[in-house]
Amino acid sequence: MRLAVCSSKGGVGKTTTAANLAAALARRGRVLAVDVDPQDSLGRAFGVVAKRPDDSLAALLEDPAADARAVIRHDVAPGLDLLPAHPALETAAARLAGTGGLVTSVRRVLRPLIGDYDHVVLDTRGDLGGLTLAALCAADAVLTVFTSDPGSALGAVRVATFLDQQRAYENTSAVLVGVACAVWDHRGRAAREVAGALEDTGLPLLATRVPLSRRVPTSTLAKRPVVLSQPTSPVADAYTALADEVLAAAERVPA
């Protein structure tokens, strides 16, 4: 599975979800986590920071001859390698957009690496711009997330619409395999209303609810996803269940 975790806005738990899914999937096989966000939040979730552009995805996008394996950080967690981002990714994307090379750029970088891994998890920036599309082009499955914020439900619908549009344009063949609640407040009325609104859209709403937990920001500060730092906690159990559910949904997608 090549899974792109997307949202149309920031602050919905997208990167936290991507990091924990990558760590959970790494228990089942070799995983490559790819940071396609100039804010390099996915790398930071594992304590990895690219200090130079040429040590990150940015250099690989601009130089087709660059060796991706030389940039990958190996074994940042059990079974997990990481391809980090750098703020220079923004400039690299702008240059590629001007020459028409952005859409297929991430797919080109990953092509020689796919055989080395059982799964690839791509974290995207919190919008539906060119870098997000490049990640979608490299993926075969897409997950989007929502919270108790009503605006996040609209964001999930926008991701689904954007993906359908890009499939029609033949920019990608990726399929939306799930819409997941990344911050579930079971006592909150808003959370229930948002989930109910999404159920009415017909989108593939996943059953797993990742609970609101103080362990998540604590794990962020510790630079270790909660499935690794607090593996017996309810929130870690939820991310593990979500990984199973996403993988099962992806396996049901026709080849």
Side-chain angles (χ1 to χ4, degrees):
M1 177 177 63
R2 301 187 304 280
L3 177 72
V5 184
C6 302
S7 68
S8 66
K9 63 190 292 288
V12 295
K14 172 186 56 61
T15 297
T16 300
T17 299
N20 280 282
L21 286 181
L25 289 170
R27 296 170 178 166
R28 300 155 177 78
R30 198 73 189 169
V31 172
L32 176 65
V34 183
D35 197 342
V36 196
D37 183 353
Q39 295 185 21
D40 63 356
S41 299
L42 182 63
R44 292 176 185 275
F46 291 95
V48 174
V49 177
K51 296 181 179 179
R52 306 183 314 277
D54 60 359
D55 201 24
S56 74
L57 178 62
L60 301 179
L61 294 192
E62 292 209 89
D63 182 3
D67 181 7
R69 291 182 176 88
V71 176
I72 290 172
R73 308 305 198 272
H74 296 279
D75 298 309
V76 299
L80 179 65
D81 294 348
L82 174 75
L83 180 52
H86 184 276
L89 186 59
E90 186 88 61
T91 303
R95 290 175 182 153
L96 285 169
T99 62
L102 179 57
V103 173
T104 57
S105 59
V106 176
R107 184 176 66 189
R108 169 178 53 77
V109 168
L110 295 182
R111 187 178 294 119
L113 305 173
I114 293 299
D116 297 343
Y117 298 96
D118 297 289
H119 305 295
V120 177
V121 177
L122 303 104
D123 184 40
T124 64
R125 61 190 302 168
D127 62 26
L128 298 178
L131 276 170
T132 298
L133 177 55
L136 292 178
C137 184
D140 54 25
V142 177
L143 176 74
T144 190
V145 296
F146 70 96
T147 67
S148 57
D149 175 11
S152 68
L154 179 58
V157 173
R158 285 173 175 162
V159 169
T161 301
F162 181 76
L163 180 58
D164 286 345
Q165 182 184 57
Q166 300 307 321
R167 283 170 57 85
Y169 292 157
E170 299 185 1
N171 285 330
T172 184
S173 59
V175 174
L176 182 65
V177 296
V179 179
C181 183
V183 185
W184 177 252
D185 180 3
H186 69 279
R187 295 172 297 182
R189 177 181 175 183
R192 295 192 298 272
E193 290 181 350
V194 170
L198 282 170
E199 287 173 355
D200 292 340
T201 65
L203 296 179
L205 190 63
L206 299 181
T208 304
R209 301 284 191 268
V210 178
L212 176 68
S213 172
R214 68 179 186 276
R215 296 183 187 274
V216 172
T218 300
S219 70
T220 300
L221 291 173
K223 301 177 182 179
R224 204 75 175 159
V226 70
V227 298
L228 300 176
S229 62
Q230 300 287 335
T232 62
S233 64
V235 67
D237 288 343
Y239 278 122
T240 300
L242 181 61
D244 289 337
E245 192 174 4
V246 169
L247 191 55
E251 289 173 347
R252 291 193 295 269
V253 174

